[in-house]
Each structure stands twice: as C-alpha cells, then as structure tokens.
Amino acid sequence: MKIGVLSFQGGVKEHMDHIKSLGTDAVEIKDCRQLDEIDGIILPGGESTTMGKLLEITKMMQPLREKILNGLPVWGTCAGMILLANSIEDSKSYLSVIDISVRRNAYGSQIDSFRDYALIPEVSDFKIPLVFIRAPFITHLGDNVKRLCTIRENVVAARHDNVLVTSFHPELTEDLKFHEYFLSMI
Ligand code: GLN
C-alpha cells in the first residue's frame, strides 16, 4: 500500500512521517501522472487558495477529482478539508467531492489557534489531541455525511464513504490514531 501526500506546500513532511511510522510507504505528489501509483491521498493543511491555484496550474484538479469520485480514499486536513468541500462561504469551491459547507478561518486568526482533546469513537477508545490553526469548521453537513467530531458546538470532522475531512491537524501531534483510521479506509 502506498499513500500520496499532495506536496505543493503546507504540512507535507509531518503527514509523510506519520504514515511511515505506521509502516506504510508515503510519496510526495506533485504531478497528476503519479495519481495512478497510490492507494490513498492526503491533502495537507496550508493555504487552500494557494493549493487550489496550484491544482489548476498543474492541471491536477480534474484528474484528482475523478479519481476521488471513482473511490480513491482521500483525507483533507484543514486547508485540505476546504479543498474537498462542495461549498465554501464567500468563495468558489475546488474539488467539490463531499456534501459539506465550510467557513474558512472560522475561529479567528493565527493567535486564536488552540488545542483540545476529544473522544472520537470511530477513531480511538481514548481522547486524542486536536490542534486547530486558522481552522475552518463545517457549517452544513449533507444527509449522507457522517459527523465524527464536534468541538465548541461546531462539526470539525466528518466522513462520506472514501472522503474524510478534519478541521484539525493530527499530523502535528504524536498521536497516530487518525492516520491509522485513514489507512483502515483503504
Ligand atoms: N486558513 C487556511 C485556509 O483557509 C487553513 C489553515 C490550515 O490549513 N492550517 O486555507
């Protein structure tokens, strides 16, 4: 099994390290020809507007969207979640592969970043640490989308079939449970 991490910018290395610590191959993805080599893909945190532009410039947007619609497991963290959402407040959407609406920078700016803990039964029997950095949250969840976690009354993790989204960054903690959960989707 090989996991790709979209590698234009953002938290690439941290995701690669977590996947490798679980004994699974990880590869940086910068070109759409690489999409045929992988069994799942992570869209990391960073800046969704920049990554969205780079998906267009590299002509990866449509091929990646088709792969996901055909079942390629995908996990978007933070900016990655924004790229996957069907709808973004005050902006056009990008890949539009999961029926959620999101609000960018929903908790405020960089200095409003915070850490919390939550029990997410699908993912772990214990509370796990959650790191939020200029994080979005989900303002609308489609009927077929499963809510995985709510923090401060907002939905911050969800899944529909092969598409997993989190507002937070498990790759910035020592905990591997979320990466294990993603691998179990494959
Ligand atoms: N605020 C960023 C955006 O809108 C996301 C921040 C992050 O990925 N940590 O894309």
Side-chain angles (χ1 to χ4, degrees):
M1 175 159 48
K2 196 190 274 184
I3 303 299
V5 181
L6 185 70
S7 298
F8 294 148
Q9 55 118 231
V12 174
K13 182 177 182 301
E14 293 81 358
H15 273 301
M16 302 272 295
D17 289 349
H18 272 44
I19 293 293
K20 288 179 192 162
S21 328
L22 290 166
T24 301
D25 279 351
V27 60
E28 293 190 9
I29 301 292
K30 292 184 175 158
D31 184 298
C32 64
R33 282 168 297 194
Q34 295 175 281
L35 296 176
D36 290 329
E37 298 165 16
I38 52 173
D39 304 293
I41 186 164
I42 296 175
L43 312 186
E47 200 54 50
S48 53
T49 47
T50 306
M51 283 193 266
K53 274 185 199 145
L54 288 164
L55 281 172
E56 288 292 0
I57 290 168
T58 58
K59 301 199 171 23
M60 213 193 286
M61 189 79 85
Q62 275 317 313
L64 176 57
R65 179 163 197 272
E66 272 160 38
K67 283 271 177 199
I68 296 169
L69 292 175
N70 286 326
L72 179 72
V74 59
W75 174 19
T77 54
C78 204
M81 166 164 115
I82 296 167
L83 292 174
L84 293 168
N86 273 6
S87 149
I88 306 166
E89 259 181 32
D90 305 322
S91 160
K92 72 171 179 66
S93 60
Y94 300 96
L95 291 159
S96 308
V97 290
I98 182 167
D99 187 11
I100 58 170
S101 305
V102 299
R103 180 178 304 162
R104 295 180 61 210
N105 303 318
Y107 297 95
S109 63
Q110 189 80 17
I111 52 164
D112 302 303
S113 300
F114 65 99
R115 196 179 168 97
D116 211 330
Y117 292 83
L119 180 66
I120 307 177
E122 282 83 353
V123 173
S124 165
D125 294 336
F126 304 96
K127 282 191 174 186
I128 57 172
L130 313 176
V131 172
F132 294 82
I133 302 169
R134 288 187 305 117
F137 61 58
I138 297 172
T139 53
H140 166 82
L141 204 60
D143 290 340
N144 49 13
V145 181
K146 184 166 192 196
R147 182 179 63 80
L148 296 181
C149 180
T150 301
I151 292 284
R152 302 181 181 182
E153 294 173 18
N154 300 117
V155 182
V156 291
R159 175 177 172 185
H160 179 221
D161 293 341
N162 57 317
V163 183
L164 175 66
V165 291
T166 59
S167 297
F168 47 86
H169 294 269
E171 77 285 6
L172 297 182
T173 73
E174 306 268 284
D175 196 272
L176 294 171
K177 283 288 177 197
F178 237 102
H179 289 76
E180 239 173 65
Y181 177 69
F182 179 57
L183 295 183
S184 79
M185 287 169 50
I186 298 169

